[in-house]
Amino acid sequence: MKVVKDILFPFVLVIYLISVTGFIGSKEKVQKVTALKIRIIDSTDNQFIKSNEVRRMLEQKKFNPFGKPACEVNLRDIEQSLRSRQIISKADAFITEPGVVHVEIRQKTPFLRIFNKQGQGYYLDSKGSIIPLSYNFGPYVIVASGNITEPFRIGQTQNIFDARHDSLSRANKTIYEVYRLAEYIAGDDFWQAQIEQIYVNSRYEFELIPRVGPHIIELGPAENLAEKFDNLKLLYINGLNNIGWNQYEKISLKYKNQVVCTKTQ
């Protein structure tokens, strides 16, 4: 008899656990959502969006989870709606306990700030995604201004490369040249530390404002960048380090294999 009990007990225990688990699972599915927990993963580095803003966004949408049974909450719709926002790069929604929906968000990280010809401002991240300006947060990144125009609507475009840009006028392609130039600067620790601002003049040529020294750098067109910056670095290391950084008001890299300096008056 003891042998029979020893055999039946594990079997009965398994059946019991399955029944209890199924009951709890069913209860969780019909449990109505009463709480929404939002976590901004990178809130220390970027502060473009706050938890209360995310909450308001979800409460105003048709897929507001509050009051719905857990089984009727469309987590995929919540994620897709949040990802459609210009500032959000990643959004995950999940339910881990009865009545509670969790939302985790990661923001886009800017590396360039744009002030265009029309006086509009926005950021770009390293992939070309547009990030709106924030009144609460101003990251310290390279700034580009001047004669910059775009072939897209800033507030309605996710990424500058969403617009066709293979056959644009010289004016409309400046934003792509600015991006390429800023990408080159950001990819080099020396230039990222030295270059503070990019300016596009009326001829659609580029001028750079450094952090150290009173000079303006005339880059010319955004082409042959490696050659131009290598020549400038040689001037900095072999020239300005020896004679001083206040000797010139203008350094021109526009001419092939030449660096032309204009002395300070």
Side-chain angles (χ1 to χ4, degrees):
M1 191 70 174
K2 184 177 183 301
V3 174
V4 174
K5 287 182 179 179
D6 289 342
I7 295 173
L8 288 177
F9 179 76
F11 178 75
V12 172
L13 179 61
V14 169
I15 297 297
Y16 172 77
L17 290 175
I18 291 174
S19 301
V20 170
T21 303
F23 173 76
I24 293 173
S26 299
K27 186 177 180 181
E28 287 185 356
K29 287 181 180 179
V30 298
Q31 173 75 48
K32 290 185 177 181
V33 174
T34 57
L36 178 64
K37 293 186 178 180
I38 298 167
R39 178 179 172 231
I40 311 295
I41 296 173
D42 57 345
S43 60
T44 302
D45 300 321
N46 297 311
Q47 300 171 31
F48 286 107
I49 195 167
K50 306 290 185 183
S51 296
N52 59 345
E53 295 177 72
V54 177
R55 186 179 301 275
R56 284 198 299 269
M57 286 162 49
L58 294 177
E59 289 174 352
Q60 293 171 2
K61 296 291 184 179
K62 62 182 179 181
F63 44 77
N64 183 345
F66 286 101
K68 291 182 179 179
C71 61
E72 294 181 13
V73 176
N74 194 323
L75 299 175
R76 184 180 178 85
D77 277 357
I78 291 175
E79 293 172 345
Q80 289 179 342
S81 176
L82 292 172
R83 289 172 192 156
S84 69
R85 305 283 296 192
Q86 286 182 315
I87 185 57
I88 296 173
S89 67
K90 185 179 180 181
D92 293 307
F94 50 92
I95 299 174
T96 59
E97 54 191 283
V100 181
V101 172
H102 297 260
V103 175
E104 292 188 348
I105 286 173
R106 187 176 294 278
Q107 303 162 88
K108 294 173 184 173
T109 301
F111 86 113
L112 173 65
R113 184 170 183 171
I114 302 288
F115 287 104
N116 67 15
K117 186 178 180 179
Q118 288 73 39
Q120 298 169 300
Y122 57 97
Y123 295 99
L124 292 179
D125 74 0
S126 60
K127 296 179 180 178
S129 296
I130 296 171
I131 304 171
L133 294 184
S134 170
Y135 293 106
N136 303 317
F137 179 56
Y140 192 64
V141 295
I142 191 169
V143 175
S145 61
N147 205 24
I148 302 172
T149 57
E150 303 90 355
F152 50 79
R153 294 186 177 182
I154 295 167
Q156 299 177 12
T157 306
Q158 283 285 102
N159 190 291
I160 64 173
F161 297 108
D162 291 342
R164 292 191 61 182
H165 56 281
D166 50 354
S167 57
L168 295 172
S169 66
R170 191 173 184 186
N172 281 333
K173 71 179 182 180
T174 53
I175 183 61
Y176 300 98
E177 293 181 335
V178 166
Y179 168 83
R180 187 160 59 88
L181 175 55
E183 186 180 41
Y184 184 90
I185 293 170
D188 186 292
D189 290 340
F190 181 86
W191 296 120
Q192 187 176 32
Q194 173 64 358
I195 304 301
E196 184 173 42
Q197 186 172 343
I198 298 170
Y199 179 76
V200 183
N201 63 27
S202 59
R203 299 185 300 278
Y204 301 104
E205 294 182 344
F206 294 86
E207 299 173 3
L208 307 177
I209 300 174
R211 300 186 197 278
V212 180
H215 55 273
I216 300 297
I217 302 165
E218 289 186 337
L219 188 71
E223 55 190 31
N224 303 319
L225 295 180
E227 177 185 323
K228 290 178 178 180
F229 279 100
D230 284 347
N231 289 338
L232 182 59
K233 184 177 284 188
L234 285 173
L235 173 67
Y236 279 177
I237 295 173
N238 299 327
L240 301 189
N241 276 347
N242 296 320
I243 65 174
W245 288 74
N246 297 319
Q247 296 294 316
Y248 303 112
E249 64 180 12
K250 188 182 298 181
I251 297 174
S252 180
L253 308 172
K254 295 195 298 183
Y255 309 103
K256 188 172 179 61
N257 296 322
Q258 294 185 61
V259 178
V260 179
C261 302
T262 304
K263 272 190 168 291
T264 302
Q265 299 295 323

